[in-house]
Amino acid sequence: MSHKTIHGIYDDDALLINGVKELRSAGIEIAEVFCPYPVHGLDKAFGLKHTRLAICAFIYALCGVSLGAFMMWYMNIMDWPMNIGGKPSFSFVENVTAFMPILFECGVFCAAHGIVITFLLRSWILPGVSNSNPDPRTTDDKFLVLLHLDEGGVDSAASILKSSGATEINEA
Amino acid sequence: MNYTFTQREKMVSYTLMGIGLVAMIAAFVMDAHEAWANLLISNFFFMAIGIFSMFFMSMQYLSQAGYGVLVKRIPEAFSQYLLVGGPLMIIIVGLGGYEAIYHWMHITVEPGSEHYDKIIAGKAAYLNIPFFMIRSIIYVGVWAWCAHMMRKYSLQQDLNGGEIFHKKSITMSVIFVVFFAVTTFTSSWDWYMSIDAHWYSTLYGWYIFVGESVIGIAAIILFVLYLKSKGMMENVNENHIGDLGKWMFAISLVWSYLWLSQFLLIWYANIPEEVAYYQYRIEHYKYIFFGMLAFNFIAPFFLLASRGAKRNSKFVLIVAVLVIIGHYMDMFQLITPGVTGGPDGYIGFVEVGTWMGFLGLFLFVVKRSLAKASLQVESHPYLDESVHLHH
């Protein structure tokens, strides 16, 4: 049994959402949807899982804060004890208030860079990687539903696409 | 669906007020300074909820936001406390202020007298009793008037529908927000910062405003959850709780930011007349002063950081209770050290009892006005949007 890839193309986002809902209620798994802009409510209709990028951001921020704390401890307490406004030197805890802005900035720096890099790696958008967009018109005004189907499922999927208002159904 | 203020709940309110009365009498017998300080803290606490509720509603009118329309009756009822707490505030800062709270009221501005104080004499153009009383009356007068009018327009909109009263509410919101922008600062300087009249901080107004906001949003959340647990407000779901949770998370972090900003600069600069304020608190009120950071910063930050937690009633409930405890501690350390003048302040029966008395009064006022109208507004241009809110 061979697999087929179907592109259902819509030119209206309301029709797209209805089409996606009908496909899912018929038990057809949707591989991907390509849109020119974020369509409100599509993620739920299409069953997309909520992003876990926020958890990464939290972990990166913790790393950043630890790194910042180590840096400030090494620079201003250990290696070259700094006189901070006449406060007792040689103590991280008694000078930590002065380090707060730096700890915060290190947290933000690592979280921001970390999630951007994670996002690029996870979505595989890197220099030299070829474009995975199946139809360039989805960057203009068309919405594309990508389906990976078995041979037998093509007809029923096509009829659902057609009845829900898809303007084109292409096999790739 | 309507809320009814049952006889049993009235009894709870009366009991709380009774406890408060006993605590106040005990406090006045023991130490009048402490008693007046507690009255100021407790009334400040519940005025804060009313003030923030007005701000919360006005902001939504001005930004044309739909998310809060379903819970609008709760801040509306909270704002009615301003009509009761306002006059009480005048009595507390006037009578109690002269008796116990503000030592600058007993300073003479002519040099040579034994009551002369150079620093306070320099501030006398602003800090003098007649001007202070006039300002206080204007603040609470305009706040209470705005609260009354907003409530009136909202009830009339329920009866008549249409958009006339919505537009009037927007106008009232503009008036309130502009007036509030100035008076939230001046009132906090007058009522709270002038307790330590030798000391000042340019961040103080922000700090108080944000502290008030945390209490306000926590109170709104607690009331929403309370009414939901009684099977009312059936249209409120995790999306609305999530929005209120975001508010509490964000405002708690703003509070932490401002706390640190104020502390960091004074600590760093180390100017004697500025650090005296913090030095006293760190020496004598160490556990309250640093303990409140656990309630007001660490708890909301770590418990509410994730999206799921903000939408989970249990998490939001726990954090709301924690920040209320934390901000009571904050207000305690703002007011008590300066008023009692002693290092032996602690949160005991008198403190909690007075607060409970005001809680009883607050619940009585709020529940009475909640019972007067349907819990969900009947007519509002964004009502439908609020019902179908989803993220």
Side-chain angles (χ1 to χ4, degrees), chain B residues 172-355:
Chain B
M172 193 44 82
S173 303
V174 174
I175 295 170
F176 178 77
V177 162
V178 172
F179 183 76
F180 176 71
V182 180
T183 51
T184 179
F185 276 68
T186 51
S187 69
S188 58
W189 299 338
D190 289 350
W191 294 342
Y192 317 122
M193 196 166 81
S194 82
I195 292 170
D196 301 278
H198 285 192
W199 179 84
Y200 70 91
S201 159
T202 44
L203 252 171
Y204 202 84
W206 282 110
Y207 181 77
I208 295 289
F209 163 57
V210 176
E212 285 176 342
S213 304
V214 181
I215 302 171
I217 193 72
I220 291 173
I221 287 172
L222 288 180
F223 243 78
V224 170
L225 294 177
Y226 165 71
L227 291 174
K228 257 196 91 66
S229 76
K230 298 193 108 192
M232 288 174 243
M233 307 198 96
E234 61 280 357
N235 281 328
V236 175
N237 55 36
E238 77 270 14
N239 293 305
H240 304 91
I241 303 287
D243 274 347
L244 297 173
K246 277 176 211 157
W247 255 98
M248 189 159 69
F249 177 72
I251 292 272
S252 287
L253 291 195
V254 178
W255 181 88
S256 317
Y257 172 74
L258 291 174
W259 181 87
L260 182 74
S261 303
Q262 186 172 279
F263 181 73
L264 175 65
L265 292 183
I266 290 174
W267 174 85
Y268 215 133
N270 216 2
I271 301 170
E273 56 261 38
E274 284 185 353
V275 282
Y277 179 83
Y278 280 121
Q279 202 182 11
Y280 193 77
R281 281 160 177 75
I282 290 171
E283 251 169 47
H284 301 298
Y285 294 83
K286 197 189 227 161
Y287 298 112
I288 291 170
F289 186 74
F290 289 114
M292 70 179 183
L293 293 179
F295 290 96
N296 295 348
F297 167 61
I298 295 172
F301 183 70
F302 286 99
L303 291 179
L304 282 188
S306 86
R307 178 177 186 268
K310 289 189 203 85
R311 299 161 67 85
N312 183 330
S313 302
K314 283 197 194 95
F315 270 82
V316 173
L317 173 72
I318 290 166
V319 175
V321 172
L322 288 178
V323 297
I324 281 198
I325 296 170
H327 280 273
Y328 178 81
M329 286 158 77
D330 181 26
M331 291 186 169
F332 181 82
Q333 65 85 25
L334 282 173
I335 291 168
T336 306
V339 178
T340 60
D344 50 352
Y346 61 93
I347 300 176
F349 166 71
V350 166
E351 281 74 14
V352 177
T354 312
W355 185 84

Side-chain angles (χ1 to χ4, degrees), chain A residues 21-134:
Chain A
K21 279 182 186 158
E22 280 173 35
L23 284 169
R24 283 199 13 115
S25 61
I28 297 167
E29 197 62 34
I30 295 161
E32 187 61 284
V33 181
F34 293 86
C35 304
Y37 54 83
V39 176
H40 192 73
L42 180 62
D43 48 350
K44 273 194 188 143
F46 150 45
L48 198 62
K49 279 202 197 110
H50 206 268
T51 177
R52 286 172 297 178
L53 211 52
I55 298 168
C56 294
F58 188 73
I59 294 167
Y60 294 140
L62 286 182
C63 294
V65 169
S66 319
L67 213 63
F70 176 73
M71 181 179 81
M72 297 312 294
W73 169 79
Y74 180 75
M75 286 176 174
N76 282 351
I77 306 292
M78 210 283 261
D79 192 40
W80 190 271
M82 187 73 96
N83 182 346
I84 299 166
K87 309 289 184 297
S89 311
F90 308 109
S91 160
F92 183 79
V93 177
E94 293 199 46
N95 288 304
V96 75
T97 319
F99 303 152
M100 280 300 179
I102 296 127
L103 297 182
F104 171 74
E105 295 297 344
C106 286
V108 172
F109 179 87
C110 289
H113 284 78
I115 57 170
V116 169
I117 293 166
T118 310
F119 174 74
L120 293 181
L121 283 173
R122 184 69 186 79
S123 4
W124 210 245
I125 308 172
L126 297 167
V129 172
S130 68
N131 179 355
S132 67
N133 190 338

